[in-house]
Amino acid sequence: MFDKVIGQQDIKDLLLEYAHSGNIPHALLFCGPRGVGKLQCAISFAQYLLCHNPGSNDICNSCSACNKTTKLIHPDIHFILPVYKKKSDDKVLSSDYMDQWRALVTSQEYFDLEDWIQTIQPEQKQMQIYVYDIDSINAELQLTSASGSYRIVIIWLPERMNESGANKLLKMLEEPPRKSLFILVSENPEMLLDTITSRTRRITFKPLEQETIADRLMQKDFNLDPELAGNIAHLAGGSWLGALKQLSSRQENQEFLDIFVEFMRLAYSRNIAELKGWTDRITVKGREWQKRFLVYCQKQVRENFIHNFHLPEINYQTQQEAAFSVKFAPFINESNVVGLMQELELAQRHIEQNVSATMVFFDLSVKVIMLLKN
């Protein structure tokens, strides 16, 4: 049943132990970094509990309950998600976005909030879990289960609950309806009310081993050679989602590297005339591209600074990036690394605030010239 969950064998064994013993906590808190299988584990565990003919460690995968759960249409599994309001007085519910949610979960399996935002394309990114969702679920749980089994509520990113919603959820966890199970899937559990976390059984998902990620990348779905798989696994930082994003962004990252190298070389040589031309080429790009490029620049400044410590195990660069760092890293040091990061972060904020890109990037160029000479 956990075939979509990469690694995390100790957690899979623990959940099966809960199921076999019948001693299942009424609320579980799955926490850990993004892209390590928390949501996938929650859905798989729900499917096992609702399966009509479960085996010792797997679902039957043929009963009506399994078929419905696979399609995310089982009436006894409820999802609560961050959503957005078009108007301040809207009473928006997660169920209003279930078609988009099902499409995302069944097509990508591993994803993050940014992917969810791209899926529903909100008019603004203030995504929250609202009190109306908690009220709606509370009403649902008062009804008889469709299967006579558990009613399961999976709350994805509960740290995005507004205050009213968090207080309502707390009351439900204090007096949970019979045969109900809450699974909170969180990346930042420290943002939850202490009174909520104290009423859950916390299960911590660890970053995946590099070998686990590399092995998966060498399998038939990806068929990468061992060297490339190992490099991507290292860059992924223990996240399967990170590995997938590395794969999808390789072409753009190469473009970013080429432009970053040109930027640093022109700034170091104080070539204002050619930097003006470089700025003109950057400003014709879209603002989303410009923001991603500035994020990439911040990463490279950080990685070049770390490169100076000669600890490759904590450096996260491609081979091409590392090759450039051999000569460039000595110019990123204690006297300028903070200033460079601050100027790049400021440029990113200005782009987000729709300041003229020409002004932002030319001003950034002048400041980088000064900082590289420190």
Side-chain angles (χ1 to χ4, degrees), residues 277-330:
W278 178 88
T279 298
D280 291 341
R281 294 196 302 276
I282 294 294
T283 55
V284 301
K285 303 282 190 178
R287 287 191 177 269
E288 291 302 318
W289 185 97
Q290 292 164 358
K291 285 190 289 185
R292 292 196 302 274
F293 173 65
L294 289 166
V295 170
Y296 177 85
C297 290
Q298 292 167 53
K299 178 179 182 293
Q300 288 310 309
V301 168
R302 181 172 58 251
E303 295 302 328
N304 275 272
F305 180 66
I306 293 172
H307 189 278
N308 293 312
F309 296 97
H310 306 292
L311 296 170
E313 66 274 12
I314 61 171
N315 246 139
Y316 296 92
Q317 293 180 296
T318 65
Q319 290 178 328
Q320 294 89 344
E321 290 165 349
F324 175 63
S325 293
V326 171
K327 293 183 177 180
F328 179 65

Side-chain angles (χ1 to χ4, degrees), residues 318-342:
T318 65
Q319 290 178 328
Q320 294 89 344
E321 290 165 349
F324 175 63
S325 293
V326 171
K327 293 183 177 180
F328 179 65
F331 298 100
I332 307 298
N333 49 58
E334 290 86 349
S335 65
N336 62 14
V337 63
V338 173
L340 286 167
M341 291 295 287
Q342 288 175 341

Side-chain angles (χ1 to χ4, degrees), residues 20-174:
H20 295 158
S21 68
N23 186 25
I24 302 172
H26 73 277
L28 298 170
L29 173 59
F30 288 4
C31 56
R34 69 175 192 140
V36 295
K38 301 184 297 298
L39 177 63
Q40 295 70 26
C41 228
I43 295 173
S44 295
F45 187 47
Q47 188 166 25
Y48 187 77
L49 293 177
L50 296 174
C51 175
H52 294 163
N53 305 295
S56 59
N57 61 3
D58 207 350
I59 57 173
C60 72
N61 209 29
S62 60
C63 69
S64 60
C66 286
N67 291 334
K68 289 175 183 176
T69 306
T70 299
K71 298 174 184 177
L72 300 185
I73 58 173
H74 197 294
D76 287 333
I77 300 179
H78 307 275
F79 291 96
I80 297 180
L81 324 162
V83 292
Y84 79 104
K85 292 181 178 183
K86 292 183 178 179
K87 298 179 181 178
S88 60
D89 58 348
D90 282 350
K91 291 188 176 181
V92 63
L93 299 173
S94 297
S95 56
D96 298 332
Y97 293 91
M98 273 302 105
D99 288 343
Q100 297 97 316
W101 176 253
R102 292 185 187 107
L104 181 62
V105 174
T106 55
S107 64
Q108 292 189 219
E109 297 178 3
Y110 280 67
F111 55 87
D112 58 14
L113 181 62
E114 283 302 314
D115 295 316
W116 177 230
I117 288 171
Q118 288 297 317
T119 299
I120 64 175
Q121 297 183 340
E123 295 171 4
Q124 42 78 28
K125 294 187 179 182
Q126 296 303 313
M127 308 279 283
Q128 283 192 25
I129 293 173
Y130 295 98
V131 66
Y132 323 113
D133 246 335
I134 307 301
D135 287 337
S136 176
I137 288 298
N138 191 24
E140 285 280 348
L141 295 181
Q142 305 309 315
L143 303 176
T144 304
S145 162
S147 61
S149 183
Y150 280 92
R151 307 296 296 272
I152 301 170
V153 180
I154 298 175
I155 307 178
W156 184 58
L157 304 183
E159 55 267 30
R160 288 190 166 261
M161 276 186 292
N162 64 15
E163 184 178 356
S164 298
N167 288 325
K168 285 285 183 72
L169 176 63
L170 174 60
K171 291 180 179 180
M172 293 174 66
L173 296 181
E174 288 174 337

